[in-house]
Amino acid sequence: MLGFLSARQTGLEDPLRLRRAESTRRVLGLELNKDRDVERIHGGGINTLDIEPVEGRYMLSGGSDGVIVLYDLENSSRQSYYTCKAVCSIGRDHPDVHRYSVETVQWYPHDTGMFTSSSFDKTLKVWDTNTLQTADVFNFEETVYSHHMSPVSTKHCLVAVGTRGPKVQLCDLKSGSCSHILQGHRQEILAVSWSPRHDYILATASADSRVKLWDVRRASGCLITLDQHNGKKSQAVESANTAHNGKVNGLCFTSDGLHLLTVGTDNRMRLWNSSNGENTLVNYGKVCNNSKKGLKFTVSCGCSSEFVFVPYGSTIAVYTVYSGEQITMLKGHYKTVDCCVFQSNFQELYSGSRDCNILAWVPSLYEPVPDDDETATKSQLNPAFEDAWSSSDEEG
């Protein structure tokens, strides 16, 4: 670390290199935090999580019981063992509660005063965080699987919505109505995601095995249909112009927006160049995916080498994005994991499962100790976190 600081001071190193290296080290050391609990409120499986991007302090969860919970992740007690308490919840006794399973929750990207939720009850609801009352409700003819607001746009307030129908619907929060529809898929839309790089670029994933990139300003809409074969197979082949050989039920842009990750029920994950739609052919091996609806996975941010966290049965698999290497499997849940979210400020991960629990995964402060070492029974604190201070009396 001293070498990093010295090189940065003399201008020999990029000022951000130390930060990226430390972020990478912390992600590689993720483990289940035994000193932190997340208060258990949900009576059913947890389908979706989202941490607000303004402070990184408050987290939303949505469950198959229709309940939405808002948690405070900050340790205000300053105790080593603490519980992340639920600040408030929209429970079964709330007049505006979703009638069926909540599939997606998302904070308004620019302000914690508002958040959105969508459900199998065919609605998208816009909530006032302070009053926990609905500011607006969008009703659809079909079950809603997924929705997303652009994390970067200041030019529009469009919410992309994927439903059991083959059309992608765009809802305008300013006008309170569905502004237009994107047509091109043949089956239900299981996942939608706006680019974190371009205001008007949207990615959609469908049960028809296809992933499409759209520019919502264009009349024709669709820019690219991703092809796993990069155009090298005959159009007569059944898998031509498909991203996967099964339903595509999850997608996520890398934090810089240059690449797009997709997962499908063919047990594969693929990495695409988001500018030209090319399959980069990175091999992640088998990525077990039996979900019949959307799968919420996430990527790291600010590391030297970025990582992707994917629910994998009752575990979370961690891969390096650009090499495909599996780093570890995070084990702690005892039922299927359906969602996870990354907290980039402190390199923490939160996961939700059908066991009704939310688990916190945090960087280990301890270096691994060899089993045959005499000091194996002693905790080995990373020197970066040791107190190096001593008084002059002790030195004498």
Side-chain angles (χ1 to χ4, degrees):
M1 182 176 285
L2 291 176
F4 269 121
L5 293 174
S6 176
R8 187 177 71 171
Q9 187 176 17
T10 56
L12 296 175
E13 289 287 2
D14 181 343
L16 294 177
R17 188 179 172 196
L18 172 59
R19 181 176 177 176
R20 287 196 294 262
E22 179 62 10
S23 296
T24 302
R25 184 196 68 78
R26 288 170 64 83
V27 170
L28 291 173
L30 282 177
E31 63 179 13
L32 183 62
N33 190 341
K34 300 177 179 64
D35 296 328
R36 185 188 316 182
D37 286 333
V38 179
E39 187 177 0
R40 181 166 169 167
I41 302 291
H42 290 282
I46 292 149
N47 298 324
T48 173
L49 297 169
D50 191 42
I51 297 175
E52 47 86 13
V54 179
E55 296 179 76
R57 174 177 174 177
Y58 297 103
M59 179 173 72
L60 289 167
S61 67
S64 56
D65 53 0
V67 172
I68 299 170
V69 184
L70 193 160
Y71 295 95
D72 186 351
L73 302 180
E74 187 173 89
N75 180 10
S76 54
S77 69
R78 303 304 175 197
Q79 301 295 317
S80 57
Y81 180 85
Y82 70 101
T83 299
C84 297
K85 291 288 188 180
V87 178
C88 56
S89 64
I90 300 168
R92 300 308 308 167
D93 56 347
H94 192 286
D96 296 322
V97 68
H98 283 289
R99 290 183 293 120
Y100 304 127
S101 174
V102 175
E103 292 303 300
T104 310
V105 290
Q106 187 189 2
W107 288 99
Y108 181 62
H110 310 294
D111 184 1
T112 56
M114 186 171 77
F115 65 89
T116 54
S117 63
S118 58
S119 165
F120 276 178
D121 64 9
K122 303 180 182 179
T123 65
L124 165 70
K125 296 187 177 185
V126 183
W127 300 87
D128 183 317
T129 309
N130 299 309
T131 64
L132 286 189
Q133 301 298 314
T134 52
D136 207 346
V137 179
F138 295 88
N139 293 286
F140 302 93
E141 296 179 358
E142 306 276 0
T143 298
V144 180
Y145 284 111
S146 176
H147 80 269
H148 193 235
M149 288 180 284
S150 171
V152 295
S153 178
T154 56
K155 300 174 182 176
H156 68 76
C157 289
L158 297 175
V159 184
V161 182
T163 69
R164 184 168 284 175
K167 300 174 183 177
V168 182
Q169 310 211 37
L170 299 180
C171 300
D172 191 341
L173 295 183
K174 288 183 178 178
S175 66
S177 62
C178 287
S179 59
H180 54 294
I181 290 170
L182 304 176
Q183 301 188 68
H185 285 293
R186 300 172 185 173
Q187 295 183 43
E188 60 262 36
I189 313 298
L190 298 175
V192 294
S193 181
W194 291 95
S195 166
R197 193 176 187 87
H198 303 289
D199 285 17
Y200 295 98
I201 301 300
L202 174 71
T204 59
S206 170
D208 63 9
S209 304
R210 288 173 169 80
V211 174
K212 292 179 180 290
L213 293 177
W214 313 77
D215 183 338
V216 298
R217 296 168 298 182
R218 291 169 41 136
S220 57
C222 185
L223 288 174
I224 307 169
T225 299
L226 302 184
D227 181 5
Q228 60 183 302
H229 306 296
N230 288 330
K232 294 178 181 177
K233 289 271 182 159
S234 167
Q235 293 300 308
V237 177
E238 187 179 351
S239 62
N241 288 330
T242 59
H244 288 264
N245 296 320
K247 296 180 180 181
V248 190
N249 60 352
L251 43 76
C252 181
F253 281 95
T254 54
S255 57
D256 58 12
L258 294 176
H259 291 86
L260 176 69
L261 285 151
T262 61
V263 292
T265 56
D266 56 356
N267 295 327
R268 289 288 178 264
M269 178 162 63
R270 294 198 165 93
L271 179 71
W272 310 83
N273 183 318
S274 60
S275 62
N276 61 14
E278 181 185 9
N279 181 0
T280 63
L281 304 177
V282 173
N283 182 14
Y284 299 96
K286 181 180 179 181
V287 181
C288 185
N289 179 0
N290 298 318
S291 178
K292 292 182 173 64
K293 51 186 182 179
L295 190 71
K296 310 288 195 305
F297 66 103
T298 188
V299 293
S300 65
C301 178
C303 298
S304 301
S305 173
E306 299 297 0
F307 303 92
V308 55
F309 308 91
V310 188
Y312 193 112
S314 62
T315 67
I316 300 120
V318 184
Y319 302 88
T320 53
V321 170
Y322 300 110
S323 73
E325 178 187 3
Q326 185 183 104
I327 302 298
T328 188
M329 301 282 278
L330 301 176
K331 300 177 181 179
H333 289 286
Y334 55 90
K335 285 190 178 179
T336 301
V337 179
D338 283 319
C339 59
C340 57
V341 63
F342 186 71
Q343 211 282 25
S344 59
N345 294 347
F346 301 107
Q347 294 79 46
E348 297 173 345
L349 184 76
Y350 293 84
S351 58
S353 165
R354 295 179 195 175
D355 60 17
C356 308
N357 291 316
I358 299 173
L359 297 183
W361 309 85
V362 301
S364 169
L365 300 185
Y366 298 89
E367 300 287 357
V369 182
D371 293 337
D372 56 348
D373 195 314
E374 293 182 323
T375 61
T377 57
K378 298 180 181 179
S379 62
Q380 301 291 307
L381 191 63
N382 186 312
F385 297 92
E386 284 184 349
D387 186 358
W389 180 87
S390 63
S391 70
S392 56
D393 293 338
E394 289 173 340
E395 290 174 351

